[in-house]
Amino acid sequence: MSYQSEEQLEKNLHNQLVKQGYTAVVIPNYEDLLHNFRNQLNKFNKHKLEGHPLTDKEFRRILTVIEGKSIYDSAKILRDKLLIEREDGSELYIELLNTKDWCKNLFQVTTQTTVEGKYKNRYDVTILINGLPLVQIELKRRGLDFKEAFNQIQRYRRHSFKGLYHFLQIFVVSNGIDTKYFSNSDHAIQFGFAFFWSDEKNNIITNLKEFGESFLQPCHLAKMMSRYMIINDTDKELMVMRPYQVYAVEALVTRATETNNNGYIWHTTGSGKTLTSFKTGQILANEEGIKKVFFLVDRQDLDSQTISEFNKFEKDSIDRTNKTDKLIEQIKDSTKNFIVTTIQKMNNAIKNPRYSDIMEPYKQEKVVFIIDECHRSQFGNMRKDIDHHFQNAQYFGFTGTPRFKENKSQDGRTTADLFEKCLHHYLIKDAIRDGNVLGFSVEYIRTFNVNIDEEDQTKVQGINTDEVWHHPRRLEMIVDHILDNHMRRAKNKGYCGLLAVDSIPTLIKYYDIFKKKHHNLKIGAIYSFGVNEESDGTEEHSREALDRIINDYNKMYGTDYSTHTWDRYFSDISKKMKNAQIDILIIVNMFLTGFDSKPLNTLYVDKNLQHHNLLQAYSRTNRVEKATKPYGNIICYRNLKNATDETIRLFSKTDSVDDVLMKSYNEYLTDFLDARNQLLAIAATPEDVDNLEKEENQRKFIIAFKNITKLLQRLQSFSDFKFNEEELKISEQEYEDFKSKYFKIVDKVKHEVEKESILQDIDFELELMHTDRINVSYIMNLIANLTLDDEKERNNEIRLIKQDLDHASDPKLRLKIELIKGFLDKITPHLSQEESILDAYARYEAEVSEKEIRAFAQEVGLDDEVLKTQLATYEYSNLIEQNVIMDKLPGNFLEKRGSIKAITSFIQKYTEKYSS
């Protein structure tokens, strides 16, 4: 097959960009990049320089300020003004980017810039704005997986993007027919955060030429940089908005500024509504004619992590208390135009007479309300009060599950009744297609035998009595089914699950059955209790039962919660569920809406759900994580098939449910057998893999084996799965032998990085093979979420992390155990709430690693810089230049030989320990 070459693809794109208004410029190396930047900076700031271009000294001052900074800091510098002192003593503000008039920036394009270091890296297509490289495009020829271009960028980020390249904002990867974009970061970048661009109607644009015509138009690209990128100050990272978020913001801003009408945005759960609504609020707050923008969230939806998410965008903006004084202070502040608060506090502010002097002037002012999760029925009464007070207000809602006539609220109203027009929608089928959320694998488990047609809902409802649904034998059977299958679904505790039941008494029964069974799962439970609740005739009040459950929790985690500290218990459970530290959490309604946790992959359902409640509940499981989480698992112990299909059709605007629901076990089995045949056609036995000498054949094997592994993972999540050779047509031992050959090729490629190889940037997806929960990223996530404002809680969290470290089997993590423990003991007690824990860890690790290098170099009599150079060489190419080291070592030949062995071992262990 004849494919368009990478060179031709690059040439075509370059020509296209020049036609679209970019100036072609030749920048062969980094020195020329600096020279071009100086010229463009002078040109862009011409009106400020008043005929006196920057002198050598002044340009060096600018480079001193902007070079060598993190990507996060560079992004902030890019959007700010630089104050420099001119040689004549005067001060001058220099601009790097025009964030208001996007088209007035200077746009250039170059290809094949070579950055020289120990190794050469040649970048495909670079877009420069005002001389700074802000967009890097990497291409692979048609027929290759464009993820290989993504992996190539990861290598460049690690080894050669330096100096001005820290200003890179957006990366684009393409093979001509598939194209995605993603933001730069100081942290690891997951391929799941690379996005397709689309048009306003969510039709994705994958072709590189069409992507260039839409996304890479000079004015649009500068607009993306200026308006649709977010600098997250809490996590110190850069984020770029997805196309549907951009279109929603633009539609809402137009509606707010050009009309007095209301509107709502329908973006499916998990698609980033909070970010979209926040960005909208920030833009509207700067519009003339709008006095204040209020972002309202329901206090009942807030857990500790959600509060943290809101506070990332607006520091200390929100809490779970009812204290209204802070809101009043913000309203009084004439410089504060964007205020985040709860519906409850706003209601207090307009009703409490003591605030009337402050609130009265706003009755006639134009204010905008942005309401999160606007499908909530409880907002109805509060809306009337707010409506009455703010007589010139506009209301904009965001929801993943609007109210239609089929699921209207208790008072009979729909979302459109409250908010008028849907300004933009992005449906669950769109989000699944784009890879922004996962689909659902739904299993229906029959839990009793009666002689009725389960499809006949009238008869099924007729047996809906405690006698059947809550029979102890049925509940015990469900618990046994969960225990038999959960470890496989959770990938050996890498993931966690929710068990949703129909009432508090049922929850207590389930909890007690789990407690009686022999297993090694950590089971938690939570519900809210009524203080003056009447007894249902049982001896134990629900609050007493919850205290008993919390007491078990305290023993399990070393905490000291009770129903008197319910809020703290709730926050801790929320935190632990986000880190998969609880295996199964039993709930009634809590956590079924608004709760986001990437490691949550399974929902067990023993309650009736429909419409928005069903989709909200299912969507707790569908957050994108990594390849070991292909979809959200839904296990229904009631026949919710009709309700599920009806809900999917309603919220997908389609007659088909196939876009949202995954295939059946038998369909995946058929796919697996086809994949198995494709694998055996390449290598009939594991031994035959050794005979695949051509790299193209090795590549085919890698792809075929990855495919069979992905399908095996899908099969493993079903209750019916057993590794049955008769059914799968391959034995477990044969599969493991193929896996060994796969790793042999991985190891070979690691040692041949310098060689031009088609395997160099292939995605081996090693996470498909490794599902150990306690690994480096898991531990670092726990550390990043340490509680810094409560010493007792922090010490307990550290104790639990150390327990996990002591039980870790992951080889890379074991190398870091003493390093991590040292950080926990020496550094964390002195960190303030404002500090980034991960930044502090990075500094600590750098200090320790530097000391290790100095100490070892001194021990073997080698210069520090020689050792550092060899470490860099090994990290890049897995080569140790023994001849170079021998020349630098003191002593005779035999002494040098002994030292070489020790140095080789040190380099290998050091690289494994400190590589990211």
Side-chain angles (χ1 to χ4, degrees):
M1 186 179 290
S2 177
Y3 291 110
Q4 183 181 31
S5 69
E6 187 178 316
E7 184 181 358
Q8 188 60 49
L9 201 61
E10 180 185 300
K11 185 179 178 184
N12 291 349
L13 178 62
H14 180 267
N15 292 340
Q16 178 184 337
L17 293 177
V18 171
K19 285 178 184 174
Q20 288 179 193
Y22 291 88
T23 301
V25 59
V26 177
I27 301 179
N29 53 48
Y30 191 76
E31 286 305 311
D32 286 311
L33 180 75
L34 288 174
H35 180 69
N36 178 72
F37 172 53
R38 181 173 176 175
N39 289 339
Q40 293 297 98
L41 199 60
N42 281 322
K43 192 174 174 182
F44 181 61
N45 289 276
K46 188 176 179 181
H47 60 292
K48 294 183 179 180
L49 293 169
E50 297 175 342
H52 300 286
L54 295 166
T55 65
D56 290 348
K57 194 172 184 179
E58 289 165 354
F59 183 62
R60 280 198 302 273
R61 283 175 183 167
I62 288 174
L63 290 183
T64 301
V65 172
I66 70 173
E67 276 195 310
K69 300 295 188 295
S70 67
I71 289 153
Y72 161 79
D73 286 328
S74 299
K76 296 191 89 165
I77 291 168
L78 175 67
R79 291 159 176 83
D80 206 352
K81 289 183 172 67
L82 294 181
L83 177 63
I84 65 158
E85 185 182 336
R86 303 216 68 174
E87 284 200 58
D88 63 6
S90 63
E91 290 188 333
L92 174 69
Y93 279 101
I94 291 286
E95 272 189 293
L96 299 179
L97 182 71
N98 189 332
T99 58
K100 296 279 189 282
D101 295 320
W102 307 304
C103 299
K104 292 184 179 177
N105 291 287
L106 307 175
F107 301 91
Q108 296 173 302
V109 61
T110 188
T111 61
Q112 294 294 307
T113 299
T114 300
V115 175
E116 289 271 9
K118 185 164 180 63
Y119 305 99
K120 285 185 182 179
N121 279 316
R122 212 173 264 116
Y123 308 145
D124 289 349
V125 179
T126 309
I127 288 176
L128 305 111
I129 300 181
N130 308 326
L132 286 170
L134 297 190
V135 179
Q136 183 60 41
I137 305 166
E138 285 301 317
L139 306 169
K140 289 292 174 185
R141 69 168 172 82
R142 290 176 188 262
L144 291 182
D145 183 354
F146 72 141
K147 196 171 178 184
E148 294 179 22
F150 175 85
N151 292 336
Q152 190 167 310
I153 281 176
Q154 301 315 303
R155 284 200 298 110
Y156 291 167
R157 286 178 67 237
R158 192 164 166 180
H159 295 297
S160 66
F161 283 146
K162 64 177 185 179
L164 296 186
Y165 283 101
H166 274 203
F167 280 92
L168 282 169
Q169 302 292 288
I170 292 174
F171 294 114
V172 176
V173 291
S174 180
N175 60 3
I177 56 169
D178 282 316
T179 307
K180 283 190 171 185
Y181 71 99
F182 55 97
S183 59
N184 199 2
S185 176
D186 291 300
H187 310 301
I189 301 174
Q190 300 294 329
F191 188 64
F193 292 97
F195 315 127
F196 288 115
W197 186 245
S198 72
D199 64 19
E200 200 169 350
K201 294 182 178 177
N202 302 316
N203 299 306
I204 58 173
I205 296 168
T206 62
N207 180 278
L208 179 60
K209 182 175 184 296
E210 292 171 6
F211 178 88
E213 290 168 348
S214 177
F215 188 87
L216 297 178
Q217 284 293 344
C219 290
H220 178 267
L221 190 61
K223 186 179 184 180
M224 287 295 298
M225 304 277 179
S226 304
R227 179 175 266 194
Y228 296 118
M229 295 195 78
I230 292 94
I231 299 173
N232 180 332
D233 288 325
T234 302
D235 295 335
K236 290 187 167 45
E237 66 178 357
L238 193 59
M239 302 160 73
V240 62
M241 294 181 80
R242 308 174 195 205
Y244 58 88
Q245 293 174 313
V246 171
Y247 294 126
V249 173
E250 299 212 324
L252 202 152
V253 169
T254 300
R255 182 86 162 179
T257 54
E258 296 182 5
T259 78
N260 291 316
N261 299 320
N262 304 328
Y264 71 95
I265 302 295
W266 172 14
H267 282 184
T268 192
T269 51
S271 60
K273 290 190 299 300
T274 301
L275 180 62
T276 312
S277 51
F278 244 94
K279 176 53 75 172
T280 305
Q282 288 176 333
I283 292 169
L284 289 179
N286 290 318
E287 288 287 335
E288 288 183 23
I290 296 176
K291 188 73 173 177
K292 297 274 187 189
V293 177
F294 295 105
F295 186 101
L296 297 187
V297 61
D298 193 324
R299 187 171 67 89
Q300 295 175 50
D301 296 332
L302 296 175
D303 59 56
S304 59
Q305 296 292 313
T306 312
I307 292 169
S308 171
E309 286 297 309
F310 282 115
N311 288 336
K312 281 179 185 178
F313 305 113
E314 186 84 357
K315 193 175 179 184
D316 299 327
S317 64
I318 205 157
D319 57 52
R320 297 191 81 243
T321 71
N322 275 322
K323 294 176 183 173
T324 310
D325 290 346
K326 181 172 181 184
L327 170 59
I328 295 299
E329 287 301 314
Q330 291 175 316
I331 292 172
K332 284 163 62 178
D333 185 348
S334 60
T335 65
K336 193 162 186 61
N337 296 332
F338 182 40
I339 297 170
V340 185
T341 190
T342 63
I343 294 167
Q344 288 80 1
K345 287 180 188 175
M346 180 57 70
N347 210 36
N348 289 345
I350 60 175
K351 282 185 166 182
N352 195 323
R354 61 187 279 226
Y355 304 130
S356 59
D357 288 347
I358 294 135
M359 301 304 296
E360 191 68 22
Y362 286 92
K363 277 192 170 181
Q364 300 304 322
E365 294 282 5
K366 177 162 181 176
V367 297
V368 170
F369 286 98
I370 296 174
I371 295 145
D372 193 43
E373 301 294 357
C374 69
H375 61 275
R376 296 279 192 271
S377 59
Q378 67 262 29
F379 180 68
N381 292 329
M382 294 185 193
R383 168 70 180 272
K384 290 173 189 172
D385 295 329
I386 293 171
D387 255 346
H388 181 71
H389 185 87
F390 296 95
Q391 294 168 19
N392 195 24
Q394 278 179 291
Y395 298 90
F396 297 103
F398 283 78
T399 179
T401 50
R403 297 296 189 104
F404 303 111
K405 64 181 191 303
E406 294 90 341
N407 64 320
K408 60 191 176 187
S409 65
Q410 289 177 339
D411 61 8
R413 290 188 293 179
T414 65
T415 303
D417 291 331
L418 282 170
F419 294 94
E420 300 170 20
K421 184 182 178 183
C422 179
L423 303 177
H424 191 264
H425 65 69
Y426 183 69
L427 309 180
I428 187 166
K429 65 177 183 181
D430 302 320
I432 291 169
R433 174 204 64 194
D434 298 346
N436 292 325
V437 300
L438 304 173
F440 305 114
S441 172
V442 186
E443 283 188 83
Y444 304 99
I445 309 297
R446 192 183 180 102
T447 59
F448 55 82
N449 289 309
V450 288
N451 190 22
I452 64 164
D453 178 8
E454 281 200 61
E455 295 301 315
D456 183 343
Q457 287 301 301
T458 58
K459 291 181 180 176
V460 170
Q461 296 304 319
I463 59 160
N464 189 4
T465 65
D466 282 351
E467 186 180 358
V468 176
W469 296 111
H470 303 143
H471 195 284
R473 196 160 66 243
R474 176 180 177 274
L475 301 188
E476 187 160 348
M477 184 194 77
I478 289 171
V479 169
D480 287 339
H481 184 265
I482 291 171
L483 292 175
D484 286 345
N485 292 282
H486 184 76
M487 286 293 279
R488 189 171 66 246
R489 288 197 179 99
K491 314 289 182 190
N492 293 321
K493 295 198 169 197
Y495 296 95
C496 59
L498 292 173
L499 168 57
V501 303
D502 60 6
S503 67
I504 292 171
T506 308
L507 179 151
I508 296 165
K509 287 176 185 174
Y510 265 119
Y511 181 83
D512 289 338
I513 294 170
F514 271 109
K515 196 172 174 182
K516 284 190 300 183
K517 298 284 182 180
H518 179 71
H519 58 81
N520 67 345
L521 298 180
K522 291 182 175 178
I523 308 294
I526 189 169
Y527 52 85
S528 57
F529 56 89
V531 178
N532 299 315
E533 173 188 328
E534 290 184 18
S535 171
D536 62 356
T538 60
E539 291 182 8
E540 190 179 40
H541 189 282
S542 69
R543 180 169 185 174
E544 293 172 328
L546 185 56
D547 262 321
R548 177 165 60 81
I549 290 167
I550 293 174
N551 193 45
D552 290 341
Y553 185 90
N554 289 336
K555 290 175 184 173
M556 196 155 44
Y557 296 105
T559 49
D560 61 351
Y561 305 120
S562 72
T563 53
H564 294 291
T565 57
W566 188 91
D567 274 2
R568 286 178 55 224
Y569 175 60
F570 173 85
S571 295
D572 197 60
I573 277 192
S574 169
K575 198 177 195 178
K576 285 185 167 54
M577 283 299 291
K578 287 175 189 255
N579 291 322
Q581 290 173 284
I582 298 170
D583 292 303
I584 298 172
L585 180 66
I586 313 173
I587 42 98
V588 180
N589 292 315
M590 279 180 183
F591 292 90
L592 290 183
T593 59
F595 179 71
D596 286 355
S597 168
K598 289 179 182 177
L600 175 54
N601 78 337
T602 302
L603 173 69
Y604 301 101
V605 185
D606 189 20
K607 66 184 296 184
N608 294 325
L609 294 167
Q610 68 178 138
H611 297 139
H612 57 279
N613 289 327
L614 183 144
L615 187 58
Q616 287 282 343
Y618 282 18
S619 296
R620 297 316 101 211
T621 67
N622 76 340
R623 299 304 183 266
V624 173
E625 202 239 7
K626 56 185 180 181
T628 45
K629 186 184 177 184
Y631 42 62
N633 297 308
I634 313 295
I635 318 299
C636 296
Y637 296 109
R638 301 195 183 194
N639 187 359
L640 299 180
K641 184 169 187 345
N642 288 343
T644 299
D645 291 352
E646 184 186 347
T647 297
I648 300 303
R649 291 189 190 103
L650 178 65
F651 290 107
S652 291
K653 286 189 170 182
T654 180
D655 291 331
S656 170
V657 299
D658 295 340
D659 296 329
V660 176
L661 303 182
M662 298 297 101
K663 299 175 184 177
S664 68
Y665 180 86
N666 286 332
E667 287 173 300
Y668 278 124
L669 178 59
T670 300
D671 291 345
F672 177 85
L673 294 174
D674 288 344
R676 172 249 181 212
N677 292 339
Q678 289 171 23
L679 176 70
L680 297 187
I682 296 163
T685 67
E687 290 73 23
D688 289 338
V689 177
D690 293 333
N691 300 324
L692 301 175
E693 293 180 2
K694 290 184 179 177
E695 284 194 335
E696 183 59 42
N697 292 334
Q698 291 176 5
R699 185 174 176 277
K700 286 177 182 175
F701 165 74
I702 290 163
I703 292 167
F705 183 74
K706 277 198 310 184
N707 193 28
I708 199 174
T709 300
K710 284 178 180 176
L711 290 163
L712 182 62
Q713 287 200 331
R714 282 159 171 74
L715 289 171
Q716 285 173 335
S717 66
F718 286 88
S719 303
D720 294 343
F721 178 81
K722 288 183 178 59
F723 210 120
N724 184 323
E725 183 177 355
E726 199 172 308
E727 182 177 72
L728 300 177
K729 308 300 182 191
I730 186 172
S731 70
E732 192 165 5
Q733 183 59 57
E734 192 176 6
Y735 170 78
E736 290 297 326
D737 290 345
F738 272 119
K739 189 199 284 187
S740 297
K741 298 299 181 182
Y742 178 91
F743 280 124
K744 186 176 178 183
I745 295 176
V746 172
D747 194 53
K748 170 176 169 276
V749 171
K750 273 186 179 178
H751 286 80
E752 295 183 356
V753 172
E754 275 194 304
K755 174 186 158 192
E756 277 296 319
S757 165
I758 66 169
L759 300 175
Q760 183 172 301
D761 294 308
I762 198 165
D763 181 35
F764 286 101
E765 290 190 295
L766 297 181
E767 69 265 25
L768 283 168
M769 317 299 163
H770 297 303
T771 55
D772 289 340
R773 176 173 70 107
I774 303 174
N775 54 25
V776 175
S777 64
Y778 169 77
I779 292 293
M780 292 313 297
N781 191 40
L782 294 182
I783 290 172
N785 287 296
L786 279 172
T787 302
L788 295 180
D789 59 348
D790 185 321
E791 184 181 353
K792 187 176 180 183
E793 200 159 329
R794 182 197 67 220
N795 290 341
N796 186 56
E797 288 168 354
I798 288 173
R799 182 183 63 79
L800 292 173
I801 291 171
K802 287 181 177 179
Q803 275 184 13
D804 279 342
L805 287 170
D806 290 338
H807 293 110
S809 58
D810 180 75
K812 186 166 183 179
L813 177 57
R814 293 204 65 79
L815 284 172
K816 285 181 176 277
I817 285 176
E818 292 310 311
L819 180 72
I820 292 170
K821 284 184 176 179
F823 173 75
L824 293 172
D825 291 338
K826 297 172 186 174
I827 308 298
T828 54
H830 308 292
L831 293 176
S832 69
Q833 259 187 293
E834 288 70 38
E835 289 182 87
S836 163
I837 298 175
L838 292 182
D839 281 356
Y841 178 81
R843 289 193 298 272
Y844 177 77
E845 188 177 88
E847 288 170 14
V848 173
S849 65
E850 184 72 24
K851 284 178 185 173
E852 277 191 35
I853 291 171
R854 282 203 304 268
F856 181 77
Q858 191 174 4
E859 184 183 320
V860 294
L862 192 64
D863 184 80
D864 292 7
E865 292 306 314
V866 174
L867 184 54
K868 285 177 184 176
T869 300
Q870 289 305 312
L871 284 165
T873 301
Y874 183 77
E875 186 184 0
Y876 183 74
S877 66
N878 272 71
L879 294 174
I880 296 174
E881 299 170 320
Q882 294 193 2
N883 291 338
V884 173
I885 298 171
M886 287 281 274
D887 289 344
K888 304 290 184 181
L889 281 170
N892 58 41
F893 180 75
L894 287 176
E895 288 170 336
K896 290 183 179 185
R897 284 282 303 267
S899 295
I900 283 285
K901 200 169 184 180
I903 292 167
T904 300
S905 176
F906 175 82
I907 288 173
Q908 289 169 338
K909 284 183 179 174
Y910 177 96
T911 305
E912 187 69 16
K913 182 176 179 179
Y914 291 108
S915 63
S916 56

